[in-house]
Amino acid sequence: MVTSAGAGAAELLRRHEGSDLLRFLTCGSVDDGKSTLIGRLLHDSKTLYEDTLASLEKDSKRVGNAGGAIDFSLLLDGLKAEREWFTRIFEQYLEADDRRSALVQLIDARHEPTVLDIESVERMMRTGRPVCIVFTKSDKVNKSSQKARITKALRQFNARPETGVVSFSSITGAGKAELWAWIEARLSL
């Protein structure tokens, strides 16, 4: 059981220290929060070097988009080339790598799912692997509107009952314990 995101991440890393690399796939349209989510998880798992964290804090103040808070996307968003080749790489990865424990689709909670989002979820579900849909930027949407958007999106995706659903905010940390718990449960499969 995850008691807190930090403790859960530390325990997760300790238990799997000698095991193969954790492999999971995050997907989402441009600016859905893929890099921000992964950056936040890396930060919370205490795997960043002190100089990397100091640089991240400095860059967040200078060029970040998190309103003065740490902009976790800056850990991974050095290049925007991913926007041009995402679909091709996604298809190749789903076909070529069968070692994934889990698949994670990110959806910006502020917007309707795009055609690419719907296609990505459909592709993921066809693999037969566990799928979690993470609705990012939940701090930017009020709770009642968020619930309605998520319900509508799940219908659009034809989500199965076993599909994981997490409302996540990298700014406030909302949903990180639920996401860690979902990931941890997939590791034991």
Side-chain angles (χ1 to χ4, degrees):
M1 182 169 133
V2 178
T3 55
S4 74
E11 173 63 17
L12 178 68
L13 292 171
R14 185 194 62 71
R15 282 201 339 261
H16 297 283
E17 192 173 59
S19 67
D20 290 338
L21 207 56
L22 168 64
R23 295 175 184 270
F24 71 96
L25 174 68
T26 59
C27 296
S29 295
V30 174
D31 294 328
D32 277 352
K34 296 176 297 291
S35 297
T36 307
L37 179 133
I38 293 169
R40 179 68 190 228
L41 294 176
L42 287 170
H43 173 269
D44 290 351
S45 66
K46 310 236 185 288
T47 57
L48 300 177
Y49 292 111
E50 289 178 14
D51 61 332
T52 301
L53 184 56
S55 177
L56 176 63
E57 290 170 345
K58 180 181 172 188
D59 289 347
S60 293
K61 290 177 184 162
R62 190 171 51 85
V63 297
N65 292 314
I70 294 175
D71 185 347
F72 296 104
S73 71
L74 296 176
L75 283 170
L76 300 154
D77 272 353
L79 300 172
K80 295 294 182 185
E82 70 183 60
R83 296 170 193 235
E84 298 171 11
W85 51 262
F86 168 74
T87 301
R88 182 175 48 87
I89 297 299
F90 177 67
E91 286 288 333
Q92 290 173 353
Y93 186 74
L94 277 178
E95 292 172 12
D97 187 354
D98 62 356
R99 297 173 292 176
R100 290 172 314 281
S101 300
L103 303 172
V104 177
Q105 172 71 43
L106 305 185
I107 306 292
D108 186 331
R110 301 170 301 172
H111 308 292
E112 295 282 324
T114 65
V115 171
L116 179 60
D117 294 331
I118 295 166
E119 290 172 353
S120 294
V121 170
E122 288 172 354
R123 286 182 193 109
M124 293 171 136
M125 298 233 188
R126 284 194 302 262
T127 69
R129 289 188 171 70
V131 174
C132 183
I133 301 172
V134 178
F135 291 87
T136 62
K137 304 179 185 185
S138 65
D139 57 297
K140 310 268 192 245
V141 182
N142 72 48
K143 296 284 185 200
S144 61
S145 176
Q146 186 180 129
K147 185 173 181 172
R149 285 175 188 254
I150 289 172
T151 300
K152 182 178 179 184
L154 293 174
R155 277 195 305 266
Q156 288 177 293
F157 296 139
N158 294 314
R160 298 182 300 237
E162 67 273 13
T163 302
V165 178
V166 175
S167 181
F168 185 85
S169 168
S170 290
I171 302 299
T172 67
K176 67 182 176 181
E178 293 87 350
L179 182 56
W180 273 118
W182 188 87
I183 292 169
E184 186 174 30
R186 291 335 37 80
L187 289 174
S188 62
L189 294 178

